[in-house]
Amino acid sequence: MTTTPAADTVTTAAALALGDDALVLSHRLGEWAGHAPVLEEEVALANIALDLLGQARVLLSMAGDEDELAFLREERAFRNLQLVEQPNGDFAHTIARQLYFSVYQHLLYDRLAAGDGPFAPLAGKAVKEAAYHRDHAEQWTLRLGDGTDESHARMQRAVDALWRFTGEMFQPVEGIDGIDWPGLESAWREAVEDVLGRATLTVPDGPRSGAWKAGAGRQGLHTEPFGRMLAEMQHLHRSHPGATW
Amino acid sequence: MVTATPLTPLEEQLLELAGSVPDPELPVLTLRELGVVRAVRAHGTDRVEVDLTPTYTGCPAVEVMSLDIERVLREHGVREVTVRTVLAPAWSTDDITDEGRRKLREFGIAPPRTGAASGPVRVELGPTRTGEGGAADGTREPVRCPHCGSAETELLSRFSSTACKALRRCLACREPFDHFKEL
């Protein structure tokens, strides 16, 4: 395959966007280790985090040196969605974040896998993993939403709180070709509204972008909790450059 | 899914050797039975390339598999071994051989059902149990207990000791067991 330098640059930017989504969400899910409500769920969240980390390694390697990109970039250089950097909150918040993201990733990768672009091989692999992540999130949304008064209230609070970060997902990403973004968005809305409905939850009606406007994370503008997360994720590598086991 | 060009006798022998390496996490299976060694290319007798595909993108066993393949081929006189990780076409549990499935069952792990491409079975709340009638949607054969063979089993957790397994329990003999998930 011959590509012009310009096409490479564009692919690199897109690989960073998708790779940073996977890396940052993987780290957030890893924070549950030792804290999850039950052992099975601890293992499930760690396994989902591992799948995402594997995807991040492939994607960041398409953009450069994976370790340098993960551990030596400043906050403004990360291109992930603001949704994935949001703190874990209570378990309902984590599940709402998983629901919004995994439905998006499953639909997007399904479309990328069907094409012949540079992301098709990874997407073909990752879409099968994302299907399990989506199933996991949907099942928990149903259980919590259609559970006790307490779990219902918490799940509703969580889907409401994260709603404003969902608009950004459908801003076209340069370097990802052949995606009908409005079509992706309506497929996402339909799927999410179906799950929320079955979970006896109300579909949030607030704005789907925050003060930073949609597209902020993809432009390197992040929310306050992200800086603290990065500090924890990067400090070992930065404090001990070149350290090995 | 070996390369389109026919293998030389040397390559066949090397493929056999690479495929005989045990899986680091499930040592009852060889890499050939798991279906992850995709191709072997020999350049002369000194330099060999092996294509390996991961079961899951984040599978931490891939690095150990690569090192084991390198070691085995070096022990058989190949001076330079390169193991490449290839993603496409994506690995599926359908790539596990019949022999591999039998060994998994003997090891106490319910093997994946075939026709894996469809991924997780969508279920409504409640019916996480499978009986003789198959899965909740009636389209799939049931997951059988690897200990007593009963078709009456229930899902405990979608993710078990590794990403590739789910945790189930047999309703007949009450033993919990791992199920290699369809992928």
Side-chain angles (χ1 to χ4, degrees):
Chain A
M1 190 177 73
T2 55
T3 47
T4 64
D8 281 345
T9 310
V10 168
T11 300
T12 296
L16 278 183
L18 299 180
D20 287 346
D21 282 351
L23 175 68
V24 170
L25 186 56
S26 169
H27 189 85
R28 280 296 187 206
L29 291 172
E31 290 174 352
W32 273 108
H35 304 281
V38 289
L39 184 59
E40 286 82 358
E41 211 36 46
E42 173 135 340
V43 171
L45 294 172
N47 272 315
I48 294 171
L50 182 63
D51 283 345
L52 291 166
L53 188 62
Q55 296 164 15
R57 292 188 62 183
V58 173
L59 288 159
L60 294 184
S61 296
M62 289 172 77
D65 179 277
E66 52 175 326
D67 283 344
E68 274 183 29
L69 288 169
F71 297 122
L72 298 176
R73 267 184 303 160
E74 300 295 325
E75 180 182 328
R76 282 288 184 110
F78 278 80
R79 291 291 177 266
N80 55 281
L81 298 164
Q82 290 184 347
L83 173 70
V84 297
E85 75 202 29
Q86 295 312 306
N88 288 334
D90 63 9
F91 188 65
H93 274 76
T94 291
I95 292 302
R97 194 182 57 199
Q98 282 304 108
L99 177 71
Y100 290 163
F101 183 76
S102 62
V103 172
Y104 161 75
Q105 197 195 32
H106 186 237
L107 294 170
L108 176 63
Y109 280 18
D110 191 44
R111 285 158 173 74
L112 288 175
D116 57 0
F119 300 109
L122 171 79
K125 184 86 201 141
V127 69
K128 303 207 270 178
E129 298 163 358
Y132 279 100
H133 305 171
R134 177 177 173 176
D135 184 52
H136 172 265
E138 290 182 357
Q139 296 304 321
W140 269 114
T141 303
L142 294 176
R143 275 181 176 74
L144 296 175
D146 196 11
T148 64
D149 289 345
E150 174 77 9
S151 74
H152 176 87
R154 284 183 180 235
M155 196 64 218
Q156 186 67 55
R157 203 182 308 149
V159 294
D160 289 346
L162 293 172
W163 188 246
R164 68 193 167 99
F165 297 107
T166 59
E168 186 185 2
M169 298 193 284
F170 308 101
Q171 296 297 307
V173 177
E174 198 189 2
I176 300 181
D177 300 322
I179 298 294
D180 165 18
W181 295 94
L184 184 71
E185 179 161 19
S186 36
W188 180 88
R189 273 200 81 123
E190 194 182 320
V192 166
E193 286 178 11
D194 171 61
V195 176
L196 295 182
R198 284 190 288 136
T200 71
L201 295 163
T202 308
V203 177
D205 62 358
R208 293 182 54 224
S209 61
W212 284 112
K213 299 285 185 230
R218 292 278 189 246
Q219 292 157 17
L221 301 176
H222 295 282
T223 54
E224 188 181 346
F226 187 51
R228 290 197 293 275
M229 193 210 96
L230 271 192
E232 185 169 311
M233 189 177 93
Q234 296 184 331
H235 99 269
L236 188 72
H237 189 92
R238 287 177 182 258
S239 305
H240 304 277
T244 54
W245 290 105
Chain B
M1 205 154 318
V2 177
T3 43
T5 46
L7 296 182
T8 65
L10 174 66
E11 285 171 334
E12 269 176 32
Q13 193 194 347
L14 294 170
L15 184 64
E16 182 91 356
L17 281 169
S20 69
V21 169
D23 177 89
E25 278 178 1
L26 298 164
V28 288
L29 288 191
T30 65
L31 298 189
R32 190 186 65 78
E33 287 159 349
L34 191 61
V36 294
V37 180
R38 283 277 165 80
V40 168
R41 284 177 301 276
H43 304 281
T45 53
D46 256 10
R47 200 158 64 82
V48 172
E49 279 173 13
V50 180
D51 285 355
L52 183 69
T53 194
T55 52
Y56 280 69
T57 328
C59 181
V62 167
E63 284 167 29
V64 181
M65 290 179 189
S66 300
L67 290 174
D68 286 349
I69 290 173
E70 275 185 47
R71 185 176 45 74
V72 167
L73 295 188
R74 287 231 176 81
E75 280 170 8
H76 283 79
V78 181
R79 209 172 300 167
E80 197 185 325
V81 183
T82 312
V83 180
R84 294 196 320 151
T85 305
V86 293
L87 292 177
W91 180 84
S92 155
T93 41
D94 287 351
D95 296 337
I96 300 177
T97 64
D98 289 344
E99 177 70 357
R101 282 163 208 278
R102 189 185 61 76
K103 287 184 174 176
L104 279 174
R105 202 176 297 115
E106 279 177 7
F107 193 59
I109 297 172
R113 291 160 293 179
T114 49
S118 49
V121 177
R122 298 253 163 246
V123 290
E124 295 300 312
L125 264 186
T128 53
R129 298 182 171 189
T130 58
E132 291 292 352
D137 63 1
T139 57
R140 264 193 180 167
E141 60 186 293
V143 179
R144 287 184 180 273
C145 170
H147 305 296
C148 73
S150 168
E152 303 290 334
T153 67
E154 68 176 340
L155 181 69
L156 294 181
S157 177
R158 286 174 168 70
F159 295 87
S160 182
S161 52
T162 62
C164 59
K165 294 185 230 112
L167 186 62
R168 298 187 75 90
R169 174 167 52 203
C170 176
L171 297 173
C173 73
R174 308 303 295 176
E175 282 291 321
F177 64 90
D178 270 338
H179 166 223
F180 207 122
K181 283 185 293 200
E182 293 77 23
L183 188 76

